[in-house]
Amino acid sequence: MAAETGAESVEAAESADAADAVKETRGDADGAGGPDDSWGEVAPDAARRLLLAAVEAFAERGFHATTTRDIASRAGMSPAALYIHYRTKEELLYQISRVGHERSVRILTEAGNSAVTPADRLAAAVRAFVRWHAERHTTARVVQYELNALAEEHYAEIVALRRRSEEILRGILEDGVAAGDFTVPDIRGTALAVLSLCIDVARWFRSGGTRTPEEIGELYSGLVLRMVGAPAAPAAETADGADRGA
């Protein structure tokens, strides 16, 4: 077989990203986590369709290279229809970022309250946060890595939500240190490191890889527990008991 050229490699990667974006935003049955309910609050249906089309376009082409005509076309609408629901392309990105970051806060809050001990709470929070970034990796890349394109006031609002996520994680670490379960000399720095570790999953994860989102969540929760000096829980076995490898 002939060697694949650099251009062909890039094209293949972009095609895979685009296919994953369609699966995630449209709830394809073959997607990593089934239908995504992150956008259920967006109404009416036309506004939600435009938002999902924007996720696809931003993930595939980037915010600056995407036009409003491209977004409208993906949603099956005319360019003029877009402005009925969103004043600008930036407002679409803001709505995507807001919903995604509110979802992150909710995931961390619910997971962190689902257990009693600090170690179990930390493991649950990391496991859930990583799983979402893997299952919705295309959406998460737009949410997490397009912030600099936001207008100043929107950027400030999203940063406040990111700080709330950090506060939740920092609170769990503080509880663990106070209970004598964690050894963390720099709580704030450790919280940022853990969040960065989890978020970065969205950058490299691809559907159909050797590990499922659940398995990556288990792996990362163990890594983080060791990072803070707590004993890691036994890794969950795969459904067929086989070691899937890295």
Side-chain angles (χ1 to χ4, degrees):
M1 180 179 295
E4 187 179 53
T5 67
E8 288 171 337
S9 297
V10 172
E11 182 178 354
E14 290 178 345
S15 296
D17 282 348
D20 282 346
V22 173
K23 288 181 181 180
E24 290 177 25
T25 58
R26 295 182 181 175
D28 192 301
D30 293 333
D36 188 357
D37 61 356
S38 299
W39 319 108
E41 67 178 52
V42 181
D45 179 68
R48 183 165 55 253
R49 283 164 53 198
L50 286 164
L51 186 146
L52 299 181
V55 171
E56 292 181 21
F58 294 156
E60 181 180 341
R61 306 185 63 184
F63 175 81
H64 293 293
T66 297
T67 66
T68 54
R69 181 177 297 275
D70 182 27
I71 295 169
S73 175
R74 290 169 186 261
M77 302 179 188
S78 68
L82 186 149
Y83 296 106
I84 295 175
H85 303 284
Y86 301 98
R87 291 172 297 176
T88 64
K89 182 176 69 169
E90 187 274 342
E91 185 177 349
L92 270 165
L93 177 61
Y94 161 67
Q95 293 296 340
I96 294 166
S97 298
R98 180 186 61 79
V99 171
H101 280 87
E102 287 178 349
R103 181 63 179 265
S104 293
V105 170
R106 187 162 64 251
I107 287 171
L108 288 170
T109 299
E110 291 175 353
N113 292 336
S114 66
V116 177
T117 70
D120 287 344
R121 289 166 57 204
L122 180 61
V126 170
R127 192 181 301 116
F129 202 48
V130 165
R131 188 170 62 244
W132 186 82
H133 280 80
E135 289 176 346
R136 307 301 168 196
H137 55 97
T138 308
T139 301
R141 284 203 303 277
V142 176
V143 169
Q144 301 289 2
Y145 296 117
E146 294 283 356
L147 294 180
N148 289 335
L150 290 170
E152 185 175 350
E153 65 275 17
H154 289 160
Y155 180 84
E157 181 178 340
I158 299 306
V159 166
L161 287 170
R162 291 173 77 90
R163 286 175 178 161
R164 177 56 187 148
S165 292
E166 180 191 340
E167 289 170 0
I168 294 168
L169 193 56
R170 196 164 63 229
I172 298 174
L173 294 175
E174 289 171 347
D175 289 345
V177 170
D181 296 338
F182 300 162
T183 302
V184 183
D186 183 348
I187 290 177
R188 182 177 183 186
T190 301
L192 289 173
V194 171
L195 287 174
S196 296
L197 184 69
C198 297
I199 289 170
D200 193 59
V201 170
R203 183 182 57 80
W204 58 261
F205 183 86
R206 294 293 181 274
S207 299
T210 56
R211 290 182 188 269
T212 67
E214 290 77 12
E215 289 170 335
I216 296 171
E218 288 291 342
L219 172 65
Y220 275 47
S221 65
L223 291 173
V224 169
L225 287 175
R226 289 194 290 274
M227 182 188 299
V228 300
E237 294 183 356
T238 61
D240 59 4
D243 182 2
R244 292 174 178 264

